[in-house]
Amino acid sequence: MELGFDFFFNSIMLGIGLAMDAFSVSLANGLNEPCMKMRRMSVVAGVFAVFQAMMPLLGWVCVHTVVQYFSAFEALIPWIALALLGFIGGKMLLEGIKNKDEGFVCTKLTFTALLVQGVATSIDALSVGFTISEYDFFAALLAAMIIAAVTFVICMGGLFIGRKAGTKLAGKAGILGGAILIFIGIEIFVTGVFFG
């Protein structure tokens, strides 16, 4: 695999495409936690970036080892994403409704919830392993690192926007954030089941 312009351009485009769900979840996280500090924002964006890098690599490994098992698992991806994001979004939505009259509330995202979000938003990136299957391991690793860098930047943007809007929306931010997560879960499900 030649590491020319096409390789870097395709890797950046893959990163942008894969990061859209993570961007939306970052936006919801920023809305829900408008007092989030820069260090914490970096951790949140970093978790999404790591998952977005790991999943295509895992897909690449599956293609080169156990492709017959992966294709059976691929049908479950939309269901898993719907369940995970629906659960987290529903919980955030209920907390937002319960606290909507309390004004400005800064709810902290737990690390467990962040990991679940990372899996839910990146699980569809497993199939990217098929698109990069002709790469050697070094090229696949480099593509994954580019995807991670792009995801990190996009998620930081989502967190900044969400945090800014969250302070203005006060108690309604949790409701909006939860609704966004549920919508993303439904979107991944519908796209995966009906158009995948």
Side-chain angles (χ1 to χ4, degrees):
M1 173 79 219
E2 187 180 321
L3 301 180
F5 174 79
D6 286 347
F7 170 81
F8 288 100
F9 180 76
N10 289 340
S11 297
I12 290 169
M13 289 295 110
L14 273 174
I16 291 170
L18 292 174
M20 288 301 104
D21 289 336
F23 168 80
S24 299
V25 174
S26 296
L27 188 67
N29 288 338
L31 282 167
N32 198 47
E33 192 177 332
C35 56
M36 192 182 302
K37 302 282 186 241
M38 184 60 119
R39 185 170 153 214
R40 187 163 166 75
M41 290 170 66
S42 297
V43 169
V44 171
V47 167
F48 286 122
V50 166
F51 275 103
Q52 291 292 4
M54 280 181 9
M55 291 300 185
L57 275 180
L58 186 60
W60 183 90
V61 169
C62 288
V63 166
H64 291 275
T65 55
V66 289
V67 71
Q68 68 274 12
Y69 301 115
F70 178 71
S71 59
F73 172 75
E74 196 173 17
L76 298 176
I77 289 173
W79 294 92
I80 294 168
L82 177 65
L84 294 174
L85 289 174
F87 175 74
I88 294 169
K91 189 174 175 209
M92 191 184 290
L93 187 66
L94 289 174
E95 287 174 8
I97 291 169
K98 190 171 72 175
N99 299 326
K100 73 176 181 178
D101 296 328
E102 293 181 17
F104 179 76
V105 178
C106 191
T107 310
K108 286 205 181 248
L109 175 70
T110 66
F111 192 68
T112 303
L114 178 60
L115 290 179
V116 171
Q117 288 177 356
V119 170
T121 59
S122 66
I123 198 164
D124 60 334
L126 274 170
S127 56
V128 171
F130 286 118
T131 65
I132 63 171
S133 64
E134 77 275 3
Y135 293 1
D136 61 34
F137 180 74
F138 173 75
L141 182 62
L142 182 58
M145 294 301 104
I146 292 169
I147 289 168
V150 169
T151 300
F152 182 85
V153 170
I154 289 174
C155 288
M156 285 298 284
L159 287 164
F160 273 114
I161 294 167
R163 193 176 72 165
K164 194 71 146 169
T167 56
K168 297 201 180 349
L169 292 172
K172 293 166 188 61
I175 296 170
L176 182 59
I180 289 171
L181 291 182
I182 292 168
F183 175 78
I184 294 165
I186 293 170
E187 182 267 330
I188 291 171
F189 176 77
V190 169
T191 303
V193 170
F194 299 109
F195 303 106

